[in-house]
Amino acid sequence: MKRIALLGMPNTGKSTLFNRLTGAGARIGNWPGITVDLLSAKVLLGDSLVEVVDLPGIYNLHGFSEDELVVRRFLEAQPVNFLAVVLNASQLDRQLALPLQLKGLGIPMLVLLNMADEARHLGIRVDTAHLEQVLGAPVRLVSAKYGTGIEAVRQELAGLLHAHPKLQRIDTRAFAEDDQIERELDALVSRSVHAPVLIPPSATDRLDRLLLHPWLGLPLFFGIMFGVFQTVYSLGAPLQDGMGWLLGHLKEAWIEPAAAGLPTGLRSFLMDGLYDGVGTVLTFLPIIAVFFVVMAVVEDSGYLARAAFLVDALMSRLGLDGRAFVMQLMGFGCNVPAILGTRIMRSPSLRRLTMLMIPLSLCSARLQVFLFIITAVFAPRAAAVALFSLYLMSFALAFLTAFLWRGRFAGSEPLLLELPPYRMPTFRFLVLEGWRATLQFLRGASGFIVLGVVLVWFLTHYPFDAAPAGPDTLAGRMADFMAPVFSPLGLDSLLAIALLFGFVAKEVVIGALAVIYGAGGGELASLLAGRLDWVQAYSFLLFTLIYTPCLATLSTIRQESKSWPFTLLALAWPLALAWVASFAFYQGARALGF
Amino acid sequence: MPLSLNQLAPAAIAVIHALNVGQDLRRRMSGLGLRPGARVQVIRTSPLNGPMQIRVGHTDLILRRAEAARIEVAAAG
Ligand SMILES: Nc1nc2c(ncn2[C@@H]2O[C@H](COP(=O)(O)OP(=O)(O)O)[C@@H](O)[C@H]2O)c(=O)[nH]1
C-alpha cells in the first residue's frame, strides 16, 4: 500500500491537519521498533488507497529526544511515497530549518504552510515560488483549522502519488551528518518571507498583560481552574447520576428477568459481579467525556502553557513543572482524566512522576464517602474541619510524593515551551476531541477493569455458600489474616473488606458497608456512629483517601505508562503511604489520650 | 563583560552570542529560533525567580532562568 508520512515541528497544527485529511477513521497502531503508538489512517486520494501516518512533532531531525528517535526509527524502517511537511506559516523564520534538513533524505516532499490565516493577520507574505525552487518541492498555503486550502492539498497529494507511485527508502546517511544549515536558512528566510519589521501589539499581548500579571496572574489562574472544575462537575455529575439511573433500570427491567433462569452462582457473578462492577466504572464515562471537552478548550486556547508559566516557580522546586500542577488540580474531580491529561508532557519521567502524584488528589468519588462518614460520626462543627484537613492532607501527600520520588523520575528536560497566541477552539474540534478521547479511554481500560471487577467479586463471594462479603468468604478470611496489619490502624475486618471493594471504585465503599452491615442509609450512619469513635473513623478516612488508586485510575496508569513495574509502584506506594499515615495518626491520637 | 539572558530586564532587546548548553538542548533551542545572531526580547519575568517569557522572531517562549543564564547575549538597540 502507498504511504505518506506527516511531519513537522510541535504546535504547527499537524494533528488538526491530519484530522482534516483523514476524517474519523484514524487508528492507533504499533510499528516495529517504535515504543510509542502512532496515529495512522487509510484515505482514498484520487484513485489510490493511501496510509497516512502522523509522526510526532520534532524540532530537529538530528536530536535525541524520544520523539526525534521515533521519527528517525520510523523513517529508517518504513518506506514511504513521500513526506508531507507541515510548517507554521507565521513562524517560517525558524521552521524552514526542518524542510532544509529533510531535503537531504532524498525523498519527495510536499511542504504545507499551515495557519495561513494567522500569517495573513500578522501581515506576513510568503514567496512560495522561491521556496519551491530552493526546497525542490511543491509548497502550499493551508489553514487546517478552518479548512481553507484542504481540497487543493488533497488534489496535490493525489497528483504526487501519481508522480511517485513507488515506496522509497530514505537515505539514512543524512541522519549521520549534522548539517550546518544556518546560513542557508537565513538566506532562504530573507528571500522568501516578508514580515513587517514591527509586530503590532496583538490581542494576545493585551490579554497576557492581565492573565500573566505578576500578582493577579495566580489568583486569576485559580479562578479559571475553579471555573473549569465547576463546569465539569455541574455538567458531569447529573450525567453521571443519569447513567447510574439508566444502568439500574436496564438491570431491573431487562437483565434481571433474563437472568432469572440461571443458577444462583452464575447469576450473582453476572449481576453483582460483572454488571454492577463494570456499570459503576461506566458511570464515570460522562464525567470523563465532559472533562475532555473542557480540557480541550483550555489546551487549545493556549492557556495551559500560561498556567505552566504561572506556577512553575513553585513546581520546579519539586522536580515538576507547571503542567503537572494543572493536572493535579484536575485530579480533584476525577483522577482518570487527569492521568490521561499528562499526555501534554513530553518527557516520560516527568509524566510518571505526575502520574504517581495525581491519585492522591481527593476525587469526587472519595468525597462522597467522606461526606457520608463524616456526617455520621463527627459533630457538625468538627465535620467541616475534618473535611478540610483531608483536602490539606491530599495536597501535602501529593507534594511529599513528588518530593521523595523526584530523584528517581526527575525529568532532565528543561522547561522550554512555546507560548502560542490565544486561539478560539471551533465547536467541531471540541466534539471530535471529546468523542475521540472517550473512545480511546474505553478501548484501553476496559479489559483491565473487567478483570479487577471479576477478581473482587470472586474474593467476596467464594465459597459460594457463604454470605456475600461475610467473614467466611475469601475476602473475610483475608481480612482476618490481615488483621494484625489493620488493627494498629483501628480498623476491624469488616472495614477492611469494605476497603477491598473500594478498589473497584471508591464510591462503592459506602455500598459495600451497607452490604456488610446489612443496613443502608440512615440506619448505616447510626450504626457506624455507634461502632466507631472519631479517631477510628478519621483513621479509616485517611486510609481511604490515600490507599491504592481505584481500578479505573490504575488501568489508565497502566495504559499510559505501558509499564507493569510502574503500575505496581503506583499501586504499592500509596498503600504503604496510607498505612504509615493512618498508623501515625491512630497511634498518635491514642497516645495523646483521645 | 558578557551578559546572559537572565540578567536582562523586561522590554530589553539583545542579540544572542552563544548558547552554553549541551548539544541536545542547543538543537531544541535552535529549533525554537534561539541561535547565535537571533534577536531576543524579554517580555516578562515571573515572580519568585520563576520562568521568563521571551520573544524570538514571531515565536514567544517561556524558559527557566537557569537555562536563560546559559544564553550569552549582547545588548542591542
Ligand atoms: N489559526 C489557526 N490555528 C490553527 C490552525 N491549525 C491548527 N491550529 C491550532 O493550533 C493549535 C495546535 O494544533 P495541533 O493540531 O494540536 O498542533 P500539533 O501540535 O502540531 O499537532 C491548536 O490550538 C489548533 O486549533 C490554523 O490553520 N489556523
Side-chain angles (χ1 to χ4, degrees), chain A residues 238-480:
Chain A
L239 287 175
Q240 185 170 23
D241 292 345
M243 188 82 163
W245 179 85
L246 191 73
L247 287 167
H249 253 268
L250 273 180
K251 182 176 172 181
E252 254 172 48
W254 297 87
I255 301 179
E256 259 171 6
L262 298 173
T264 329
L266 184 61
R267 199 173 60 212
S268 158
F269 170 72
L270 289 177
M271 311 294 300
D272 308 333
L274 267 188
Y275 190 85
D276 285 357
V278 174
T280 306
V281 180
L282 268 188
T283 55
F284 282 119
L285 214 53
I287 282 211
I288 290 176
V290 173
F291 172 88
F292 277 126
V293 172
V294 174
M295 264 328 274
V297 175
V298 174
E299 197 183 343
D300 214 52
S301 67
Y303 188 66
L304 214 49
R306 269 112 186 144
F309 178 81
L310 289 168
V311 293
D312 192 68
L314 294 173
M315 297 306 273
S316 64
R317 292 177 170 86
L318 294 170
L320 289 165
D321 73 21
R323 292 166 293 180
F325 188 64
V326 175
M327 287 308 137
Q328 190 200 350
L329 285 185
M330 298 286 39
F332 278 86
C334 176
N335 295 172
V336 174
I339 301 252
L340 290 167
T342 60
R343 286 183 194 156
I344 52 170
M345 287 175 240
R346 282 160 52 93
S347 145
S349 54
L350 201 62
R351 272 195 76 185
R352 288 194 175 184
L353 190 57
T354 313
M355 286 198 266
L356 208 53
M357 193 171 123
I358 288 174
L360 293 165
S361 291
L362 196 165
C363 65
S364 57
R366 271 169 271 187
L367 183 62
Q368 286 177 35
V369 179
F370 295 168
L371 286 176
F372 186 87
I373 293 184
I374 287 179
T375 333
V377 179
F378 287 80
R381 189 131 17 103
V385 179
L387 188 60
F388 183 70
S389 71
L390 286 168
Y391 272 105
L392 279 187
M393 280 305 280
S394 165
F395 268 108
L397 290 171
F399 288 140
L400 180 75
T401 297
F403 185 78
L404 291 178
W405 289 94
R406 76 188 193 289
R408 176 79 182 67
F409 292 108
S412 53
E413 179 181 280
L415 181 81
L416 184 60
L417 283 183
E418 194 186 336
L419 219 51
Y422 287 107
R423 298 185 174 113
M424 266 305 246
T426 58
F427 183 70
R428 174 180 182 275
F429 166 77
L430 293 181
V431 172
L432 281 178
E433 190 59 21
W435 177 243
R436 201 182 53 74
T438 311
L439 274 189
Q440 207 178 329
F441 164 72
L442 266 189
R443 227 180 269 145
S446 44
F448 194 78
I449 288 174
V450 169
L451 203 75
V453 162
V454 169
L455 185 70
V456 171
W457 176 85
F458 183 76
L459 288 177
T460 48
H461 285 75
Y462 188 85
F464 298 121
D465 49 1
D472 294 329
T473 58
L474 274 185
R477 272 184 250 155
M478 260 169 71
D480 276 343

Side-chain angles (χ1 to χ4, degrees), chain A residues 178-203:
Chain A
D178 198 349
D179 29 32
Q180 292 299 322
I181 49 161
E182 289 177 358
R183 199 159 312 135
E184 213 181 332
L185 174 62
D186 286 338
L188 181 58
V189 169
S190 65
R191 274 290 306 273
S192 57
V193 183
H194 308 286
V197 184
L198 272 182
I199 315 169
S202 59

Side-chain angles (χ1 to χ4, degrees), chain A residues 7-20 54-57 86 88 113-119 142-148 150 296-297 299-302 418 420-426 429 433:
Chain A
L7 211 80
M9 289 197 185
N11 297 313
T12 49
K14 202 163 53 61
S15 319
T16 314
L17 187 71
F18 178 82
N19 288 337
R20 275 278 175 199
D54 188 18
L55 295 179
V86 188
N88 179 342
L113 309 182
N114 190 29
M115 311 215 183
D117 54 309
E118 281 185 5
V142 288
S143 175
K145 184 172 173 178
Y146 302 104
T148 30
I150 296 293
V297 175
E299 197 183 343
D300 214 52
S301 67
E418 194 186 336
Y422 287 107
R423 298 185 174 113
M424 266 305 246
T426 58
F429 166 77
E433 190 59 21

Side-chain angles (χ1 to χ4, degrees), chain A residues 16 18 35 42-43 64 75 100-101 141 199 223 230 275 281 286 318 320 339 382 398 433 461 550 565 585:
Chain A
T16 314
F18 178 82
T35 48
K42 296 187 174 65
V43 218
F64 287 95
L75 290 177
L100 281 175
Q101 290 182 337
L141 278 159
I199 315 169
Q230 280 295 316
Y275 190 85
V281 180
L318 294 170
L320 289 165
I339 301 252
E433 190 59 21
H461 285 75
C550 72
F585 168 77

